[in-house]
C-alpha cells in the first residue's frame, strides 16, 4: 500500500512526486509517457533559471530529480480506479493492482490534432502545439495558425510580433470573444483564411509549405495547431470527481476535489486561472502533495474520521 498514487508524469505529477518524497511519504508515479505535452516544445525559454533548452531536456531534468529521491515509477497507464475501505485501488494496463491511501490526478490534456498525413512526421519540425513556447524561434519567418477560436487568435497576435506574415486558417471562420477577433483583424500582417482546412504539408526535413483545401499553397515555416485541447478526465468519472462544464477537474486553492483523498494538479484542473504552463503545473503539483500530506496526517491522527 502506497501513501500516494500519482497519475501523470508531466510537470505536475513529477513535482508532486518530489514533494511527497520529501515529506517522507511513500509515493508511486504511474505514467505511460513521462514528460507530458511540453516535450513537444522545440525550445523553452520561460522556465525560471533554465533558458534555451528543449521541452524534452527540461522534463528530463524533472525526471532526474524524481529518481534522485528514489520514487518508484511505473511506465504504464491506469485503466481503472476504485474506492476501497483503505483508500483506492488502481488497475494498470498490465493488470497490476496498486493500492494507495490518496491519489493525485495529474494526467494533463491532449492537444487536438489535425489528423492528416505527415502530421507526426513534422511534429517538432515545424508543427507546434504550443505557441507560447515556440513563437520566438520563428522570428522573421512566415507561419500559419490553424483554428478559429480564442486560442488561435491569441497565437496569431503573439506570432505577429515575431513574424512578417501570419495566416489564420479557420475552418468555421473566426469565433471567440469580439475583442480577440477585432484585435486580430486590425493586425496588418495577419491574413485570415476562412472556411478552408489544411489538406497537405510539404517539406524535406522541416515544414516548408502547406496546401489548403481550396488548392492555395502557403509558403510557411511553421504550422501552429490551436484547435482545442481535451482534458484527460475519463478515468476520474468512475470515482465521481467533479468536472466543470468543459470537462476539467474542479479544484479549490488546495488542489482538493469533491472526493476525500483525491487531489488534482496541472493542466487537467480548473486552477491557476486557466494558465496552463509548466511553471503553474509544477506549482499545483507541490500544493497537491502538501494537501495530500496534511490529509494523510489528519487521517493518521484521527483514524475514525
Amino acid at each position: 500500500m502506497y501513501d500516494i498514487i500519482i497519475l501523470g508524469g508531466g510537470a505536475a505529477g513529477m513535482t508532486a512526486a518530489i514533494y511527497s518524497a520529501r515529506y517522507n511519504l511513500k509515493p508511486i508515479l504511474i505514467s505511460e509517457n513521462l514528460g507530458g505535452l511540453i516535450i513537444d516544445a522545440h525550445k523553452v525559454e520561460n522556465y525560471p533559471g533554465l533558458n534555451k533548452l528543449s521541452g524534452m531536456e527540461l522534463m528530463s531534468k524533472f525526471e532526474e530529480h524524481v529518481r534522485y529521491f528514489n520514487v518508484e515509477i511505473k511506465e504504464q497507464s491506469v485503466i481503472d480506479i476504485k474506492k476501497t475501505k483503505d483508500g483506492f485501488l488502481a488497475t494498470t494496463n498490465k493488470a497490476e493492482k496498486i493500492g494507495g491511501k490518496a491519489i493525485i490526478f495529474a494526467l494533463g490534456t491532449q492537444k487536438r490534432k489535425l489528423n492528416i498525413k505527415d502530421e507526426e512526421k513534422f511534429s517538432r519540425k515545424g508543427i507546434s502545439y504550443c505557441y507560447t513556447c515556440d513563437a520566438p524561434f520563428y522570428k522573421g519567418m512566415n507561419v500559419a495558425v490553424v483554428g478559429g477560436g480564442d486560442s488561435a487568435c491569441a497565437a496569431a497576435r503573439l506570432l505577429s510580433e515575431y513574424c512578417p506574415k501570419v495566416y489564420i486558417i479557420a475552418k468555421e471562420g473566426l469565433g471567440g470573444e469580439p475583442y480577440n477577433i477585432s484585435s486580430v483583424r486590425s493586425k496588418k500582417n495577419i491574413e485570415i483564411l476562412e472556411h478552408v482546412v489544411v489538406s497537405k504539408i510539404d517539406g524535406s526535413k522541416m515544414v516548408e509549405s502547406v496546401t489548403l483545401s481550396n488548392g492555395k499553397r502557403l509558403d510557411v515555416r511553421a504550422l501552429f495547431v490551436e484547435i482545442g485541447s481535451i482534458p484527460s478526465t475519463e478515468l476520474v468519472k468512475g470515482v465521481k470527481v467533479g468536472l466543470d462544464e468543459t470537462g476539467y477537474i474542479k479544484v479549490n486553492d488546495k488542489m482538493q476535489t469533491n472526493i476525500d483523498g483525491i487531489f488534482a494538479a496541472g493542466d487537467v484542473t480548473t486552477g491557476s486561472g486557466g494558465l496552463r504552463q509548466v511553471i503553474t503545473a509544477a506549482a499545483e503539483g507541490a500544493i497537491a502533495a502538501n494537501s495530500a500530506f496534511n490529509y494523510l496526517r489528519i487521517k493518521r491522527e484521527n483514524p475514525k474520521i
Side-chain angles (χ1 to χ4, degrees):
M1 172 72 75
Y2 294 88
D3 289 319
I4 304 176
I5 298 173
I6 300 168
L7 303 179
M14 288 202 266
T15 303
I18 291 165
Y19 272 72
S20 297
R22 285 179 57 81
Y23 285 133
N24 288 326
L25 298 174
K26 184 182 179 183
I28 182 170
L29 188 150
I30 307 174
S31 176
E32 193 169 27
N33 299 300
L34 290 176
L37 282 181
I38 192 63
I39 65 172
D40 287 326
H42 176 60
K43 292 289 182 183
V44 178
E45 289 186 317
N46 58 359
Y47 196 82
L50 298 170
N51 59 335
K52 290 190 178 179
L53 75 173
S54 69
M56 182 73 76
E57 289 169 333
L58 176 60
M59 298 320 295
S60 292
K61 291 180 180 294
F62 274 60
E63 182 183 347
E64 181 182 347
H65 201 162
V66 172
R67 294 190 185 279
Y68 172 80
F69 285 106
N70 296 314
V71 174
E72 185 175 350
I73 297 174
K74 282 193 179 294
E75 295 190 49
Q76 301 178 27
S77 61
V78 170
I79 59 173
D80 184 62
I81 293 286
K82 283 187 170 57
K83 185 79 174 71
T84 68
K85 64 182 181 66
D86 297 317
F88 303 91
L89 184 67
T91 303
T92 75
N93 60 329
K94 294 186 178 179
E96 287 194 51
K97 304 288 186 180
I98 300 169
K101 300 172 186 175
I103 289 181
I104 295 176
F105 279 99
L107 292 172
T109 61
Q110 302 173 30
K111 283 279 191 177
R112 293 186 189 275
K113 296 190 176 183
L114 298 172
N115 293 319
I116 63 174
K117 184 181 177 182
D118 292 332
E119 183 173 8
E120 290 300 318
K121 172 184 173 181
F122 289 109
S123 180
R124 294 184 241 170
K125 297 176 182 178
I127 292 183
S128 172
Y129 304 94
C130 181
Y131 68 91
T132 55
C133 307
D134 294 342
F137 305 106
Y138 295 95
K139 186 175 182 179
M141 306 178 195
N142 293 341
V143 301
V145 177
V146 180
D150 288 323
S151 62
C153 289
R157 287 202 311 272
L158 178 62
L159 287 161
S160 71
E161 301 297 325
Y162 295 95
C163 305
K165 184 75 172 183
V166 179
Y167 298 96
I168 297 180
I169 304 167
K171 179 182 179 181
E172 305 296 336
L174 283 188
E177 295 182 6
Y179 172 81
N180 289 332
I181 295 173
S182 61
S183 66
V184 163
R185 291 193 186 279
S186 68
K187 290 276 190 177
K188 293 182 179 180
N189 62 332
I190 295 179
E191 182 177 343
I192 302 163
L193 305 170
E194 300 180 289
H195 309 297
V196 290
V197 297
V198 175
S199 59
K200 187 181 179 184
I201 306 168
D202 288 304
S204 52
K205 295 181 179 179
M206 303 287 289
V207 170
E208 295 174 7
S209 69
V210 299
T211 303
L212 306 183
S213 53
N214 61 2
K216 182 171 182 166
R217 183 174 177 269
L218 306 177
D219 291 321
V220 294
R221 294 298 175 267
L223 192 64
F224 290 83
V225 181
E226 291 296 333
I227 54 177
S229 298
I230 306 170
S232 302
T233 53
E234 194 62 36
L235 193 59
V236 304
K237 295 176 182 177
V239 283
K240 299 181 179 179
V241 168
L243 308 177
D244 74 357
E245 63 277 4
T246 57
Y248 290 85
I249 297 176
K250 291 194 284 189
V251 292
N252 61 16
D253 60 356
K254 295 181 180 179
M255 299 298 117
Q256 295 169 319
T257 70
N258 61 307
I259 305 297
D260 283 346
I262 297 182
F263 307 85
D267 289 3
V268 76
T269 78
T270 57
S272 298
L275 181 63
R276 296 184 171 95
Q277 296 283 288
V278 177
I279 194 167
T280 53
E284 289 189 18
I287 295 168
N290 177 258
S291 296
F293 167 73
N294 288 326
Y295 166 80
L296 293 172
R297 177 178 55 80
I298 291 170
K299 291 283 286 185
R300 187 168 57 251
E301 294 172 356
N302 303 278
K304 293 183 180 181
I305 293 179

